[in-house]
Amino acid sequence: MVDHSALDREGAGSNPASGFHPANPSYAVFQLARALTTAHEHDDPDTRERAKEKATKWQTVFEKMLNGSLEVGTRTPVPDTPEWVTLEVVTGGFATGAFLAGGPLTDHERALTERLALRGNDIRLQLNRYFLTDQGLSELQDALRSGRFEIDVPEEGALLVVAWLLINGHAQSARDLLDRIAPFFTTLRFFPLLVDRPRRFGSRVFIQDVKTTIRKLDAIPPNQAILTQREALQVWTPLYDELVALLLETVEGDPPALRRNHAAGGSEDQHVSGGWPCQQYSNGWPERAQPLLQRIRASQSEHKLSAKPSHRKSNFAQLIPLFEKCVTDPASLSGREVGRIRLSLARYVAKRGLPNGAECRQRREKQHEQAQTPVYSDIAKAVVPRLRHFPGDQGLEQVDPVLAPLNADEARVCGLRSDSPLPEPIRRRIERCLCETVEILVERGLITSGDMLAEVLPQMTSGLRAAGIADPLLRQLYAAIYRAFRRRRSLLLLNLQSQVKIEELPWVQAVESFRREDISTRDLTRQTLEEVSCLALSSFPHAILPNKLLQEIRALAKGTAIDIPVVDELAADIFMGEFSPKFLAAAKIAADLLADSLYARYYGVDYAEIQSLPDAPKSTTRRWPFSLARSTTPEFAGLCMSRAGVKQLSWDPATNGMVIEQQQILTTQNLAPLFVRLNLTDLLEPQLPEMARVCFDWICRRLQVKATKWHARLIMVKNTAYAWRQMVFYLSLLTESQQAAFLSWADEQLASQRPAFRDTFQPALDGLRSALQGDGSKPGGKLRRGRQFLGWSKKKHWLLEGRSQ
């Protein structure tokens, strides 16, 4: 029941009896099989190509795990490689062994190689050394002063730091830094991309830059269904009409017509009346028919989308070879074939009327309008030139000019009328490069989850993290390195290890002493932290804060000197029953906030017991500066296991998930620490009732989505149970009258749902009512009335009873 891609996989404990727990290669095999299946079976060629690349990476992971050249689960999975090197990481936190600052030369490296006329097999070494020459250092220093540099991976900022140190007279610090990174000059790129214009960041952010938007617009595939319809209506329908019109000229007497007679038993027989075709040919008929036949044959060679001229049941397809006989050798037509032509013409006339008649013209006009259905790929190609006028590596301050209706030239390319508005899917793609505050992007529905919020926050928080640095050049450089560092993917880590921190980068350590945090910076950082936390919780109240967003919250909290024990969502498949001290610290904050509350009654939490648990002992071993002490809280872990009904540790993810869910209940999964330490209760008090209602509404909608796969149903139940827990927390901060009002509203909402869902979910609401009325859970979490809504279970979940696997 674990969504591997959603978890940060940090802080999972190891089995004390077995020591280090090596990650299982079977996960790599599973991902390899999925990628290979997609690469062979998916309809989209681009998707197949991406799947092939993923398969290659997973094959590398699997092979290296087997031969021991990858030690998955540690901070340094690649031998002889320090933890600060940025690794290529695939789904689940598995390193492939490749370096993001290494590998084949990039385009700008090749351009620089050509400019410097470098030769040999050690080009990257020569490039790194070039930027230590007078000329290279001068280029770096000019880039620093102008801001015309771009750092994609953190290593690319190292030699810029060297340049800054030398500018400011810190030659020894520069030499010390070079001593640490020089051994990797052959392998890694330590210099930035030098660009034509500086990039600026502040309180306004964007989801994707202009060049990414252009690339995604160009990648929109043609809609085959629309193209097929358009071909049928614009190519084959006119040819069909012409063919019928010419054949009707050969009819002797009235045009063929269908008569429907009801036979015995209610069945319907069709009879053809009227004259017979291929009986008379006017002067010039062959001369008019021959070019049409040639056009039909040419169109068959050129237009392959529609089955109209080839499907065996199509009147048009049946008429084409018979029409050819009429044109080339009418005497060879048999009586059966003439009868076939007569029936096809009768059917045509019965359905459409005579070609060029009023009924047929009206039908064709409607079809012509249908053929004007826009193809998004054509529209995208028409509007891409609008974006090419803007810098590709930035967002757009104003998107309205780009979203304007099509002008005459653009409309002509798309086959639409001038002033036609852009379709909503195209508008949404373009709006993603809008540069605005996160609040406005959320309000416009462009940021739709906490994960997306976490992706854009470094554009804003990087400046705050660098605000304590007085020198403007170093401040800008630090912010750029910070943004690149935040793009690093987390590793799968065991034994309570922590992810690499930015302070571990040697070039960041070299300038840490120049940071001076003052009161104004701390106040601004706290304000940002409060705003980000409020925005995430109020915008997505049903979702627990994702691990990527928690990284930003930790970074901001560090700049405020506020101790907030932020806990990650743990991965059930590698959890081995241990929790680091921050989990107990978070639970004790929750105890202060929620004692004797609705939350405590509903989940049966004895917060006095939690307050009495001993804190973790201080570690006696510590290696400078970042190794994690093996400090655990066995009493807290034992309480979680007891509440989950688990007597001993297991390799089973479902069993582990039950224990982790109890940890989330006791700690509130970051809600209580944030509300208490940042005083969010006052800030969010007016929104709490609506946040609870949003949770309930989301749960009802999500649980009624038909998931075809059993695993998807399990994930659905888990996520809705987490949303329910968030809802109970918000309700616990309301007054009794507000809680009663919510319960009445929830009764009405549930009554409006489908009967099957209403009956199944009613016990969950009854359990909440029981806790609201003071008749809560017994110790251990068993409600006296109704059912407690949890997400993990060893047995079939009660919400899924009656559904087949």
Side-chain angles (χ1 to χ4, degrees), residues 531-751:
E531 292 174 354
V532 167
S533 300
C534 287
L535 181 66
L537 293 172
S538 61
S539 301
F540 319 110
H542 59 280
I544 63 174
L545 298 176
N547 290 346
K548 200 70 176 176
L549 181 57
L550 295 177
Q551 291 180 6
E552 293 303 319
I553 289 176
R554 282 195 197 93
L556 288 170
K558 185 174 181 179
T560 65
I562 301 176
D563 181 20
I564 305 177
V566 176
V567 298
D568 294 301
E569 182 186 5
L570 302 180
D573 55 345
I574 62 171
F575 174 73
M576 291 305 299
E578 291 183 337
F579 295 102
S580 61
K582 62 185 178 182
F583 288 88
L584 178 57
K588 288 189 174 183
I589 294 175
D592 291 334
L593 178 66
L594 298 172
D596 301 322
S597 68
L598 166 65
Y599 189 94
R601 293 195 302 273
Y602 181 81
Y603 288 109
V605 181
D606 184 354
Y607 277 120
E609 179 184 8
I610 290 177
Q611 291 287 25
S612 68
L613 294 179
D615 294 329
K618 300 294 183 181
S619 174
T620 57
T621 60
R622 181 178 177 85
R623 291 182 298 169
W624 174 259
F626 298 105
S627 63
L628 181 66
R630 280 300 305 273
S631 178
T632 62
T633 53
E635 293 83 5
F636 179 71
L639 177 60
C640 294
M641 293 175 62
S642 174
R643 287 176 56 85
V646 174
K647 296 182 179 179
Q648 61 183 8
L649 299 176
S650 170
W651 296 99
D652 174 43
T655 300
N656 295 342
M658 293 165 62
V659 177
I660 291 172
E661 185 168 23
Q662 290 301 321
Q663 163 264 304
Q664 293 181 350
I665 290 172
L666 298 181
T667 63
T668 69
Q669 196 62 21
N670 298 306
L671 292 178
L674 289 173
F675 270 74
V676 171
R677 296 294 165 85
L678 297 179
N679 198 25
L680 297 187
T681 305
D682 291 342
L683 296 173
L684 288 173
E685 183 177 8
Q687 302 178 60
L688 288 174
E690 179 61 20
M691 290 165 64
R693 287 192 290 268
V694 169
C695 289
F696 189 85
D697 181 66
W698 184 86
I699 292 167
C700 291
R701 286 186 288 106
R702 192 70 188 88
L703 282 175
Q704 296 181 79
V705 173
K706 291 185 178 181
T708 56
K709 295 184 179 179
W710 186 252
H711 183 263
R713 296 177 187 174
L714 297 178
I715 294 295
M716 174 186 67
V717 170
K718 181 198 75 169
N719 289 338
T720 50
Y722 289 4
W724 184 267
R725 185 179 66 241
Q726 305 262 118
M727 181 192 75
V728 174
F729 177 87
Y730 304 141
L731 289 173
S732 299
L733 303 181
L734 300 180
T735 64
E736 290 184 3
S737 62
Q738 288 176 313
Q739 292 172 350
F742 172 85
L743 188 60
S744 298
W745 173 86
D747 284 333
E748 294 177 1
Q749 286 295 108
L750 187 59

Side-chain angles (χ1 to χ4, degrees), residues 109-128:
E109 284 181 295
R110 286 193 290 270
L112 185 58
T113 300
E114 185 176 347
R115 175 165 71 88
L116 300 176
L118 301 180
R119 298 291 182 270
N121 297 323
D122 56 350
I123 296 298
R124 185 161 283 142
L125 171 64
Q126 296 181 57
L127 291 173
N128 281 314

